[in-house]
Amino acid sequence: MAQGNEADGRIAELVENILAETPLKAASFIVTIYGDVVEPRGGVVWIGNLIDTCAAVGISETLVRTAVSRLVAAGQLLGEREGRRSYYRLSKAAGSDFAAAARIIFGGPQAESWQLVHLRGADAEERMQSLERAGYARLDPRLAIGPAREVPGSADVLMLRADSPDPKALAAFVDAYWDLAPHAAAYHRFLAQFALAARLAETSPFTPAAALTMRLLLIHRFRTVLLHDPRLPAAALPKDWPGMEARRLFSAVYRLLSPLADAHIGRTFVSGAGPLFAITGETEGRLALLETQAA
């Protein structure tokens, strides 16, 4: 019993330290809950589950209800009632966004070539800003370059593939147009925060509820860092790029925590149709993808 209490204390201290270093916003954390827990299990959940899950990381019921209302107003969630209970589902547009994010988080690195994008039309500046948020570098007011992947708002654009056989020239080009230092720092912080989580997941008896809390913090932080990263092709990155190690750590810890976390979901999370499944084809597919990345 003493060992169990000691492990619980270390886990609670780790959660507290992560929250102190990187405070949570209610709406953003609720988005993480939907992406990790709800979307692969049908997309609908009782608000009481959101309240209980957020309480474990210090987010009050009032903040949860306010955040849910704002997500509804923004068109990301749709409310429905069954008796006295309120349930919320993802809107179709939000579901598409979640699916795209899940492919990035669980699918591993993808882009290995480059793409020039020339914007046409009167709204070029607005679309250029969207490209920059997606990791592209602006070359002039209508021309951007970035990893060869789907372009936000791809109508009325000219796309050309580009490549360089010279690693030194590629490194110099990246240095000129991307500042990778803030992204490297974010990955290093992620590694520092969750290295202990990896050791605890291997050696300490997490409760199912604590396993879910830690997994949600893990994916919330990794999602935040990864989706801000321009995710350049591997050949353009420094050899000691910490994103690779961060992905391996994320993959390993997520898989270690999942049996207990998924069991907790199956026992406690409900939609209007009944309990959510602990395991689905989509959750199994995610774990299978991660297994190939943890080595």
Side-chain angles (χ1 to χ4, degrees):
M1 182 67 70
Q3 288 183 342
N5 290 338
E6 181 181 351
D8 290 345
R10 293 175 70 194
I11 293 165
E13 182 180 2
L14 175 57
V15 169
E16 184 177 337
N17 289 341
I18 292 170
L19 294 175
E21 288 183 11
T22 47
L24 297 175
K25 294 183 178 180
S28 181
F29 191 66
I30 289 169
V31 166
T32 295
I33 296 170
Y34 268 87
D36 186 44
V37 175
V38 185
E39 178 61 6
R41 295 172 175 84
V44 184
V45 76
W46 174 43
I47 193 172
N49 291 132
L50 299 178
I51 291 167
D52 290 344
T53 305
C54 287
V57 292
I59 299 172
S60 70
E61 179 176 348
T62 299
L63 287 175
V64 172
R65 292 187 181 277
T66 300
V68 167
S69 295
R70 289 175 178 169
L71 290 168
V72 170
Q76 290 188 276
L77 295 180
L78 303 173
E80 52 192 53
R81 291 189 68 85
E82 291 283 342
R84 299 179 61 183
R85 284 189 166 186
S86 296
Y87 301 87
Y88 290 88
R89 68 167 59 248
L90 288 173
S91 66
K92 186 175 181 180
S96 297
D97 291 343
F98 276 55
R103 286 193 294 272
I104 294 169
I105 294 166
F106 294 99
Q110 295 176 343
E112 290 300 331
S113 59
W114 297 87
Q115 187 166 263
L116 284 160
V117 179
H118 183 262
L119 301 172
R120 297 179 291 185
D123 60 346
E125 176 57 28
E126 181 181 345
R127 292 157 67 204
M128 177 62 75
Q129 292 177 19
S130 179
L131 280 173
E132 289 177 316
R133 288 193 294 272
Y136 280 73
R138 181 193 299 242
L139 301 179
D140 71 24
R142 291 182 177 270
L143 185 65
I145 188 168
R149 53 178 176 252
E150 185 177 352
V151 173
S154 57
D156 201 20
V157 300
L158 174 65
M159 292 182 287
L160 300 170
R161 291 297 172 97
D163 202 358
S164 171
D166 184 349
K168 290 184 179 179
L170 182 57
F173 176 75
V174 169
D175 285 343
Y177 288 98
W178 282 272
D179 181 8
L180 296 181
H183 304 293
Y187 279 122
H188 282 304
R189 173 177 277 190
F190 172 84
L191 287 165
Q193 287 180 326
F194 289 96
L196 178 56
R199 293 194 291 273
L200 290 175
E202 290 177 333
T203 61
S204 300
F206 273 74
T207 66
L212 178 60
T213 298
M214 183 59 68
R215 192 177 79 176
L216 286 168
L217 288 174
L218 174 81
I219 195 169
H220 183 80
R221 288 292 303 129
F222 187 66
R223 175 176 70 91
T224 301
V225 176
L226 182 65
L227 296 185
H228 282 89
D229 181 356
R231 307 191 310 280
L232 301 180
L237 296 171
K239 290 184 179 179
D240 60 349
W241 181 244
M244 308 297 185
E245 185 181 354
R247 179 170 285 281
R248 287 192 294 270
L249 179 68
F250 167 75
S251 301
V253 177
Y254 190 97
R255 290 185 303 115
L256 284 167
L257 293 171
S258 285
L260 286 171
D262 289 339
H264 181 68
I265 293 166
R267 285 196 295 267
T268 60
F269 279 68
V270 295
S271 70
L276 299 191
F277 289 108
I279 297 171
T280 66
E282 188 169 344
T283 64
E284 289 181 324
R286 289 179 174 187
L287 292 172
L289 287 170
L290 291 179
E291 189 164 3
T292 67
Q293 302 167 37

